[in-house]
Amino acid sequence: MSEPWWKSAVVYQIYPRSFCDASGDGVGDLEGVRRRLDHLAWLGVDGLWLSPFYPSPMKDHGYDVADFCGVDPLFGTLSEFDRLLADCHAGGLRVLVDWVPNHTSDRHPWFVESRASRESPRRDWYVWRDGSPDRPPNNWRAAFTNGPAWTWDEATRQWYLHLFLPEQPDLNWGNPEVVRAMHGTLRFWLERGVDGFRMDVIHCIGKDPALPDVPERVQRIPVSALNDDPRSHALIRGIRGVLEEFPGDRVAVGEVYLLSTQQVARYYGRGDELHLAFNFPPLFAPWEASAWRARIDEVVRKLDPRDAWPTWVLSNHDNPRHRTRYGSEARARAAAVLLLGLRGTPFLYAGEELGLEDAVVSDARRLDPGGRDGCRAPIPWSAAPGHGWAGAEPWLPWPPEAATRNAEALRADSDSILRLYRRLLALRRASPALRLGSFAWLPAPEGVLAWRREHGADRRVVLVNFGTEPAASPVPGAWRVDVSSDGAGEKAPYPGRLAPDQALVMSPSTSAGASR
Ligand code: NOJ
């Protein structure tokens, strides 16, 4: 049986507000994405994940959904979505959409109805609790506000639960009508032909109906990073069943925001829950060999025994970009080699292929209640004024160096980080070992990680020097450099040492070398 497409895919995350504006209002849109598909085809990714584009009051920039089955006019129309999907499929690109099952906007008609009265037929679609107005029902904290995860509704004199903003009330997945309605929203997009979903905080949908306090020692942590109730697993199996009603390998990629790989691993179930789960501990690791080695070992230890396929991600719309975190382009380049050399499905965040840093956002221009504006800066497509965006000043400031660090300029420069990503993606596509092969550590000096990937006759070695000094790192046999993070020495024999912050992918230089 052939492997499902998503195992060997590289998925590219698009935050639609920030990708490209075709309408001229300063906010990216679906038509803007469509017009830039040539960039993705040229780059060589296999699929897209689109962050939310649904009708929304935009309190959390689209993660507060007011209609799961539509497109916000800011982003376009449903027929523009269909056109984008058709063009992606025609070009061989898969499309994942973001699905936000834990909560809705407070403007969603379901919540409006739920809130209207205690007797509303939809009252129980959300989580309401009695109590006195000065004391929330439990000690849970919301994300972003750091306040209680509860808001008092004066009109009906009850509290409602929201793990995020007060404008994002939590759905009650304990109610079978909610389960049915949310399954319906999946079918809506599956019928349109999407290849799968990125499922927002999927570990939060099941909750203990007793809503017990969290232990005092973790009381300051938002409960969205703690909730790990067994009910979620049964609900995810139900969701998986909906995907399986449809032909093709429709994929469920879950955002499991629990900062323990062991906990994340459980969301793969027995091969009957998520196909893929994000695992964030590596994203939060510093740029240090020992830290990365520990995070990778943890993935091997916890996922392999379950036959669970890992994911790898360095950047997304919720965290400072890794170029910013690691502090230099050289490291961002080495990190790209690391990411694309590991065993599992890598997710790229639009703009990392340009080596973008977070934008500096003045107090006056700050918009996000979670302080995440910097990594959501618009993508500069060219050096020209407006950087390839139609018309108006974009909703957030440009990232640093947009005049030179833009897609057009970097595409023309054979030494650029963009060209490095393209070489890595082409190499990965051509190498069964890199896409699907086994993983084994090789001995390496302190500050360096070295591993082997192998599939049938195809063998590769990946080396990453996390250090700021050159490092001798011999690898038995004769090896030839396929791709090097700084472009140095490609196609030449491996000299047995690495430059500071340099990473390499190599193949055996001869078949004799390979078996030595
Ligand atoms: C996780 C998403 O990635 C983030 O952007 C959002 O704010 C929360 N979930 C709430 O939906």
Side-chain angles (χ1 to χ4, degrees), residues 96-114:
L96 310 186
V97 295
D98 217 309
W99 184 61
V100 189
N102 178 67
H103 43 266
T104 68
S105 158
D106 62 344
R107 300 299 163 85
H108 194 295
W110 297 343
F111 188 70
V112 172
E113 219 181 304
S114 179

Side-chain angles (χ1 to χ4, degrees), residues 263-479:
Q263 286 174 298
V264 169
R266 294 201 205 109
Y267 287 80
Y268 288 82
R270 297 195 166 88
D272 54 358
E273 296 185 27
L274 298 173
H275 297 98
L276 296 173
F278 286 134
N279 175 51
F280 292 120
L283 185 149
F284 294 117
W287 182 247
E288 283 168 21
S290 57
W292 269 91
R293 183 166 177 134
R295 304 304 189 282
I296 295 167
D297 275 340
E298 192 65 0
V299 168
V300 171
R301 267 201 300 272
K302 300 298 192 272
L303 267 63
D304 280 7
R306 293 176 168 266
D307 210 14
W309 189 248
T311 63
W312 300 98
V313 46
L314 293 170
S315 287
N316 61 27
H317 65 294
D318 288 330
N319 295 285
R321 287 179 176 277
H322 64 275
R323 162 77 176 80
T324 299
R325 298 198 312 273
Y326 297 158
S328 71
E329 182 178 312
R331 287 183 176 181
R333 284 170 173 254
V337 174
L338 166 94
L339 179 77
L340 293 165
L342 287 167
R343 179 174 180 272
T345 299
F347 285 74
L348 310 181
Y349 177 48
E352 74 173 72
E353 77 277 25
L354 307 178
L356 293 186
E357 284 182 86
D358 283 15
V360 177
V361 183
S362 65
D363 286 351
R365 289 196 72 176
R366 257 183 223 149
L367 294 171
D368 176 46
R372 298 161 294 180
D373 295 313
C375 65
R376 298 174 177 180
I379 304 291
W381 292 99
S382 69
H387 299 302
W389 281 50
E393 176 75 8
W395 69 292
L396 282 174
W398 297 104
E401 309 175 307
T404 47
R405 194 175 284 284
N406 57 68
E408 193 178 77
L410 299 189
R411 192 164 163 167
D413 172 3
S414 60
D415 295 331
S416 70
I417 185 169
L418 175 60
R419 293 288 205 104
L420 167 68
Y421 268 86
R422 186 168 188 252
R423 291 199 301 284
L424 283 168
L425 288 164
L427 178 68
R428 203 181 148 99
R429 202 169 257 199
S431 163
L434 290 175
R435 280 188 284 116
L436 294 165
S438 59
F439 170 94
W441 291 116
L442 295 174
E446 209 188 312
V448 174
L449 293 183
W451 63 89
R452 191 179 60 215
R453 306 285 316 276
E454 197 170 335
H455 191 279
D458 185 30
R459 284 222 232 163
R460 309 285 160 150
V461 162
V462 182
L463 290 157
V464 183
N465 182 6
F466 290 76
T468 49
E469 299 295 325
S473 192
V475 179
W479 295 86

Side-chain angles (χ1 to χ4, degrees), residues 60 63 103 144 164 198 200-201 255 317-318 372 376:
D60 187 12
Y63 283 94
H103 43 266
F144 312 141
F164 294 89
R198 178 271 188 187
D200 193 67
V201 289
E255 185 204 22
H317 65 294
D318 288 330
R372 298 161 294 180
R376 298 174 177 180

